[in-house]
Amino acid sequence: MSRENIRTLLIGIVLLIVFIVVPIVVYGQVEVNTVDEAIIWNDKLTTVDFFHKVKAGALLIALPLLLVLVGMNYIDFKEIRKSIADKFIYGYYLFVLVSAFFSGYTWVNYFGVNGRYEGLLVITVYVLLFMMGYMWMHDEEEKFMMILMIAGVSIVTLIGVPQYFGFDLFRTAFGKSLITPDNLGVSIDDLTFRVGAKTIYSTLYNPNYLGSFYTLVIPALMGIYFKIKNKKLKVGVIVLTVLSVFALFGSKSSAGMTGLAVILLFSMLLLMRKANKKVVLVVVVGLLLAVGIFNSGVKSFVNDYKNTFNKAAEERLLLDTVRVDNNLLRFEFNDENKNFNIMMNAEGQMFFLDNDYQKFSYDYNVDNGRIKSEDDRFNFFTGVINKNRLDMRMLSSYMRFVITKDGWNILSAGNQLVSSVTIADSWGLEGYERAGSGRGYIWSRTVPLIKDHLILGSGPDSYVFEFPQDDIVGKMNFMHNTYIIVDKPHNLYLQMAINSGVVSLILFLMAAGYFVLVGFYKIFKGSLKEPLAVGIYLSIVGYLATSFFNDSVVSIAPIFWVFFGYGMSKINKAKKLA
């Protein structure tokens, strides 16, 4: 077997893993938590994962294959000196490597945090996939990529589309048995799915991830349509593309629809000059038809953006802080007339006091421990007493308190008893914290962390440990869940800034900026007309747009990195124009 044949075979196996195995495989696995993870997840020693760990494991199978490719093609590294943009990616990886080395979350940094699994090893695969797409994807490998992408997208779509109509394979007894091993310790009858009706998530767990997936593959499918010659296959690609657009709108992912909107904008601009008008025109017409056909989805998308940029009403009640003074518990709001106190005497009796420390009456149900104010000024809260614990329910969430011999204590997000609440630093987006399903809150609390991660980040996949999880007041106000664990920033760029540092983010952005700007110029001028390359260019542009609202995730990112390297190679090889 010749060296070229071995290389083609290895690349084919890697592409099979990236385009079919990783997006499709779903299988339950038990994860043993590290000490850091157990603290974050309320002392849980293990967690069960169906959608991420198995995908990361499948992707890691590609690591030795990619390393063999590097060894076989070491001579190709001479080509690196002839280009510029790909060096930014290798620089980005260098800072990921250094951040992992100096971080204190050693195991997590290398293998990833549970539920995500994007540690150093997976990121190493990403960068090697970029290198493979950049240096070793020739005609034969392109054919493999197109065939495998069509197959992978077909399976994801065929599983996803029926979910919109109420048939979800993973909610059936047969489907649950397929993804649940006998030794998992979880009954298939106990498996529940949080995704709502008429919402598609397919094999990717989260509808938002599906939005990023289709943003990547839809323009590439259109490029494939013009690349292939077989008429029957062309018809199949058209049908698959239509179903993919339907699945995207069925996911109700505003991030995915934002990516399509950006693709549409770039496509319309490219139509103005010498660009490959066949590919671009099909993109424009197809997306405009999709807007008309899926009108309800578009309306939902527009309404999401209206809500996002509609500043919260000033009169909305918000909790400012909770103060503990031994036997006195004080709640302070942005409207001081709503402030109230709970005082406990030596005999354990509780009294409710208003802002001026005057008693007001409340009803206490002995049977269920429920407390309810009888004063209309304070009808926005209720409470439940269970032995020495008090759950105060307000602002669409709750906060938990424990009574000890020393008086009141607050239960923190890490299941610890504390005597004061943490108020996290914030920057910007005041009044917009609820925007984007709480993204405004998460972003505004993430930006202040950047100053501590300018050169080195906290380490790959360690964001969950850096976010101020004990900001239970902020979570109560803006997340509808006081004790939710924020494990991702819902923004690829903030994710990079915290995990691997601002310098690594800048290097990535320089590579992405080069790709977008130089690629646009060469397509616009007609220097780059190859259909698949044009389609993949639009795919990357759309993905970078969705990344303002979505993180990198192991089920989708590998496709991006292959496309990124392949597209960068095509841009650099396109003839130079004055």
Side-chain angles (χ1 to χ4, degrees):
M1 206 174 195
S2 68
R3 177 177 175 271
E4 288 299 316
N5 289 337
I6 294 173
R7 183 176 73 175
T8 299
L9 176 63
L10 290 175
I11 292 176
I13 295 172
V14 171
L15 292 173
L16 174 70
I17 293 171
V18 169
F19 286 96
I20 294 184
V21 178
V22 171
I24 293 167
V25 65
V26 178
Y27 199 66
Q29 291 187 298
V30 175
E31 170 73 1
V32 178
N33 292 331
T34 65
V35 173
D36 292 318
E37 289 170 331
I39 291 173
I40 287 291
W41 274 277
N42 295 327
D43 299 326
K44 289 182 180 178
L45 297 180
T46 61
T47 55
V48 177
D49 182 278
F50 284 86
F51 290 92
H52 300 98
K53 187 176 182 181
V54 67
K55 294 178 186 294
L59 186 62
L60 287 177
I61 295 173
L63 181 56
L65 304 179
L66 288 164
L67 291 175
V68 171
L69 280 169
V70 171
M72 289 180 60
N73 297 278
Y74 68 93
I75 194 170
D76 294 341
F77 283 94
K78 295 178 181 178
E79 296 295 318
I80 291 178
R81 292 179 295 180
K82 299 180 181 179
S83 62
I84 299 174
D86 63 310
K87 289 188 177 67
F88 297 134
I89 294 299
Y90 308 133
Y92 154 78
Y93 178 70
L94 175 63
F95 279 87
V96 173
L97 199 66
V98 174
S99 292
F101 181 78
F102 285 102
S103 173
Y105 310 112
T106 308
W107 181 268
V108 168
N109 291 151
Y110 290 108
F111 294 96
V113 74
N114 61 35
R116 292 193 46 79
Y117 308 104
E118 278 198 318
L120 177 64
L121 293 177
V122 165
I123 294 176
T124 300
V125 174
Y126 291 168
V127 174
L128 291 175
L129 289 175
F130 172 88
M131 185 182 294
M132 181 187 79
Y134 185 75
M135 291 196 289
W136 306 317
M137 293 281 288
H138 305 309
D139 291 343
E140 196 66 28
E141 291 79 18
E142 284 180 6
K143 291 178 183 177
F144 278 147
M145 183 172 71
M146 290 189 294
I147 293 169
L148 294 171
M149 185 174 71
I150 290 171
V153 176
S154 296
I155 298 172
V156 171
T157 304
L158 289 175
I159 292 174
V161 169
Q163 291 171 344
Y164 184 83
F165 298 101
F167 178 79
D168 186 349
L169 175 65
F170 300 127
R171 296 178 197 256
T172 66
F174 173 71
K176 289 178 179 180
S177 67
L178 286 178
I179 65 175
T180 310
D182 294 335
N183 61 350
L184 188 64
V186 176
S187 170
I188 63 172
D189 296 327
D190 296 332
L191 296 181
T192 57
F193 298 83
R194 295 181 297 173
V195 179
K198 288 188 176 294
T199 303
I200 299 174
Y201 66 95
S202 190
T203 55
L204 300 181
Y205 174 68
N206 189 318
N208 276 320
Y209 300 160
L210 199 67
S212 292
F213 175 80
Y214 281 118
T215 299
L216 269 175
V217 301
I218 288 172
L221 285 173
M222 294 178 179
I224 289 174
Y225 173 81
F226 287 102
K227 179 86 172 177
I228 58 180
K229 304 299 182 184
N230 187 295
K231 291 183 179 180
K232 290 183 179 179
L233 190 54
K234 278 179 175 285
V235 173
V237 171
I238 291 175
V239 172
L240 179 58
T241 304
V242 171
L243 290 174
S244 296
V245 173
F246 175 84
L248 171 58
F249 280 87
S251 74
K252 301 177 183 177
S253 169
S254 293
M257 292 184 221
T258 299
L260 279 191
V262 172
I263 290 169
L264 181 60
L265 174 62
F266 270 71
S267 300
M268 293 176 72
L269 291 173
L270 289 172
L271 272 178
M272 296 168 62
R273 288 295 296 272
K274 299 177 181 178
N276 187 327
K277 290 184 170 57
K278 290 190 296 185
V279 178
V280 178
L281 187 60
V282 167
V283 172
V284 172
V285 174
L287 294 183
L288 287 177
L289 283 173
V291 168
I293 295 169
F294 304 113
N295 191 41
S296 60
V298 174
K299 286 182 178 178
S300 174
F301 169 59
V302 172
N303 287 333
D304 282 348
Y305 268 85
K306 284 182 178 178
N307 294 332
T308 295
F309 296 104
N310 182 22
K311 191 170 184 179
E314 296 297 332
E315 65 269 14
R316 183 175 175 275
L317 188 64
L318 298 174
L319 181 64
D320 282 340
T321 191
V322 180
R323 303 185 188 278
V324 177
D325 185 7
N326 297 323
N327 291 332
L328 184 68
L329 191 61
R330 180 170 175 81
F331 296 83
E332 296 182 359
F333 298 85
N334 57 339
D335 179 357
E336 66 176 20
N337 294 319
K338 300 296 184 180
N339 294 352
F340 69 93
N341 310 270
I342 306 176
M343 185 178 69
M344 183 173 60
N345 64 17
E347 287 75 36
Q349 292 178 299
M350 286 192 298
F351 301 92
F352 282 72
L353 314 174
D354 64 16
N355 188 46
D356 297 320
Y357 297 93
Q358 301 300 308
K359 290 182 183 180
F360 63 89
S361 59
Y362 66 94
D363 175 68
Y364 172 59
N365 188 315
V366 178
D367 295 330
N368 57 24
R370 186 179 176 85
I371 294 173
K372 185 177 181 180
S373 170
E374 294 180 338
D375 189 318
D376 290 341
R377 292 176 299 168
F378 304 102
N379 59 8
F380 58 88
F381 76 81
T382 60
V384 176
I385 296 176
N386 184 6
K387 296 181 180 179
N388 67 331
R389 197 178 71 204
L390 170 65
D391 289 352
M392 292 299 297
R393 302 181 182 277
M394 65 184 81
L395 308 181
S396 303
S397 188
Y398 72 97
M399 191 175 291
R400 184 162 287 170
F401 304 90
V402 177
I403 304 167
T404 67
K405 60 182 178 62
D406 298 321
W408 293 107
N409 285 271
I410 305 169
L411 193 70
S412 71
N415 214 28
Q416 304 296 310
L417 296 180
V418 296
S419 58
S420 61
V421 295
T422 298
I423 305 297
D425 293 337
S426 65
W427 186 89
L429 298 174
E430 184 177 354
Y432 298 98
E433 288 90 347
R434 285 180 178 264
S437 301
R439 282 172 172 78
Y441 163 75
I442 295 172
W443 296 346
S444 66
R445 270 60 176 180
T446 299
V447 170
L449 303 176
I450 291 176
K451 64 181 182 298
D452 299 321
H453 301 87
L454 295 177
I455 306 298
L456 294 180
S458 57
D461 225 11
S462 60
Y463 173 86
V464 65
F465 307 115
E466 298 298 303
F467 188 85
Q469 304 293 352
D470 278 336
D471 182 28
I472 56 178
V473 169
K475 291 178 181 178
M476 171 173 274
N477 284 329
F478 307 118
M479 297 292 289
H480 298 294
N481 189 338
T482 308
Y483 295 100
I484 190 173
I485 300 301
V486 178
D487 62 344
K488 50 188 173 291
H490 295 282
N491 182 295
L492 171 67
Y493 310 107
L494 289 177
Q495 182 185 21
M496 286 183 174
I498 303 303
N499 286 347
S500 52
V502 173
V503 174
S504 76
L505 170 62
I506 291 172
L507 290 168
F508 175 82
L509 289 176
M510 290 176 75
Y514 174 91
F515 182 95
V516 173
L517 296 176
V518 176
F520 182 89
Y521 176 78
K522 290 192 174 183
I523 297 171
F524 189 79
K525 290 288 189 178
S527 172
L528 179 59
K529 290 188 175 184
E530 201 276 318
L532 183 60
V534 174
I536 285 178
Y537 169 80
L538 294 171
S539 294
I540 296 297
V541 168
Y543 181 85
L544 293 173
T546 66
S547 295
F548 280 99
F549 308 97
N550 286 343
D551 314 86
S552 173
V553 62
V554 71
S555 53
I556 302 159
I559 298 174
F560 162 75
W561 284 99
V562 172
F563 279 3
F564 197 22
Y566 174 87
M568 189 79 79
S569 172
K570 292 296 184 180
I571 288 170
N572 284 337
K573 290 176 181 177
K575 64 181 181 180
K576 295 181 180 180
L577 294 175

